[in-house]
Amino acid sequence: MAPPRHMTSEDPFPAKTPGKLRLYGMHYSPYAMRVRLMLEKKGVDHEVININLRSKPQWFLDKYPVATVPVIEQDDKLLGGSLVICEYIDEVYSKEGERTLSADPYEKGRTNMLIHDKFGKAISSVYKRIGWEQNWEEDFFMHFGELDKELGEKKYFAGGDEPTFVDYMIWPWMRIVGPDCEIDDVLSTGKLPNLERWIEDMKKDETVKACHTSPDVLKKCCDAYRTGIHVYDLELNQST
């Protein structure tokens, strides 16, 4: 099923359903995908309003002047920022004992350090890789080597048998450099064996499968990043 089309400056504000959570996103944004993964994981009834980031509706700018996605809204509550939103969803919609982010302050802090510090640097090297920037390999394998070392022999980053918060928060970028993106599969070189294994395990996860984007669409998104010409509604265009 194709995602909702991306609304532009010409589109009127879509009426809200009282009590229903709404996600304002961009379907190909890895930051918005973080939220889609968490909503799927927690089985949250919601609707998606995709925003064309090159032609944002004025009502979206009035609602959230920061003008970035993702944003969630439910009645009079509004939150922006992928990590803020995902932590909120995990806390509000998890059943007892089913949190993906540890409630222990120290463990939560360690998770956030990993996401912000080590993976934050890795994200930067992903974009250098996509853009074929000079010396991208040195930077890429240095930062991803740190992640590979962090993972070690653990199945998932938190050490359990199921993906947790950190795995879902980094997946949207890892899928880009993994074997399904059809770029050149930099994670199947044998240099990062732990991450290779992790990617194969993540691909089997039901939440990840439910939020899957086809390899040809991912490739077009990466091509668009290189050219600076953003693409929208690729699935809709394919179906017409």
Side-chain angles (χ1 to χ4, degrees):
M1 182 177 179
R5 71 174 182 85
H6 292 77
M7 292 192 168
T8 71
S9 59
E10 299 180 357
D11 288 300
F13 177 70
K16 295 191 298 181
T17 302
K20 193 167 191 175
L21 187 145
R22 170 179 285 185
L23 166 64
Y24 297 101
M26 188 280 204
H27 188 67
Y28 311 114
S29 162
Y31 295 97
M33 188 186 186
R34 280 175 164 173
V35 179
R36 291 195 292 116
L37 286 165
M38 194 57 62
L39 290 169
E40 176 68 28
K41 177 70 175 178
K42 298 303 170 181
V44 181
D45 182 32
H46 68 283
E47 63 180 354
V48 176
I49 303 297
N50 283 323
I51 302 296
N52 185 313
L53 302 181
R54 291 292 184 178
S55 179
K56 299 170 187 172
Q58 185 59 47
W59 51 258
F60 177 71
L61 299 175
D62 293 340
K63 186 177 293 291
Y64 191 63
V66 178
T68 59
V69 294
V71 175
I72 60 168
E73 183 179 33
Q74 188 175 37
D75 296 330
D76 61 345
K77 297 177 180 178
L78 185 143
L79 287 174
S82 62
L83 294 175
V84 170
I85 294 170
C86 288
E87 184 171 345
Y88 172 81
I89 293 170
D90 189 55
E91 183 168 350
V92 172
Y93 293 98
S94 291
K95 297 177 182 178
E96 186 174 354
E98 294 185 357
R99 292 282 303 273
T100 66
L101 180 61
S102 175
D104 177 81
Y106 177 69
E107 290 302 322
K108 181 192 289 188
R110 289 185 70 251
T111 295
N112 285 326
M113 282 177 61
L114 175 59
I115 295 171
H116 286 287
D117 297 341
K118 288 188 178 180
F119 192 69
K121 294 176 181 176
I123 287 177
S124 176
S125 66
V126 169
Y127 289 119
K128 289 181 180 179
R129 158 68 191 85
I130 295 173
W132 293 110
E133 293 186 24
Q134 190 175 10
N135 299 323
W136 73 266
E137 285 185 284
E138 180 181 357
D139 188 74
F140 183 93
F141 285 108
M142 176 177 66
H143 294 305
F144 273 77
E146 287 293 315
L147 285 177
D148 194 75
K149 183 178 178 181
E150 177 74 30
L151 179 61
E153 296 183 358
K154 301 189 298 289
K155 185 173 183 179
Y156 298 105
F157 277 92
D161 293 327
E162 299 291 336
T164 60
F165 192 82
V166 63
D167 302 286
Y168 290 123
M169 294 304 98
I170 70 177
W171 174 253
W173 288 268
M174 301 294 277
R175 65 184 177 142
I176 296 173
V177 294
D180 286 338
C181 191
E182 297 184 355
I183 298 179
D184 70 352
D185 187 12
V186 292
L187 287 190
S188 292
T189 60
K191 296 180 180 180
L192 304 166
N194 299 321
L195 289 177
E196 286 187 49
R197 169 178 46 79
W198 176 86
I199 280 186
E200 291 306 311
D201 285 332
M202 286 294 289
K203 285 162 54 180
K204 299 171 187 175
D205 179 69
E206 293 302 321
T207 298
V208 167
K209 288 194 288 186
C211 298
H212 176 71
T213 301
S214 66
D216 61 319
V217 169
L218 281 178
K219 185 177 186 302
K220 289 178 181 178
C221 290
C222 291
D223 291 341
Y225 177 82
R226 278 191 288 272
T227 62
I229 303 174
H230 291 259
V231 291
Y232 297 91
D233 303 322
L234 288 170
E235 289 91 340
L236 290 175
N237 293 338
Q238 288 177 339
S239 64
T240 56

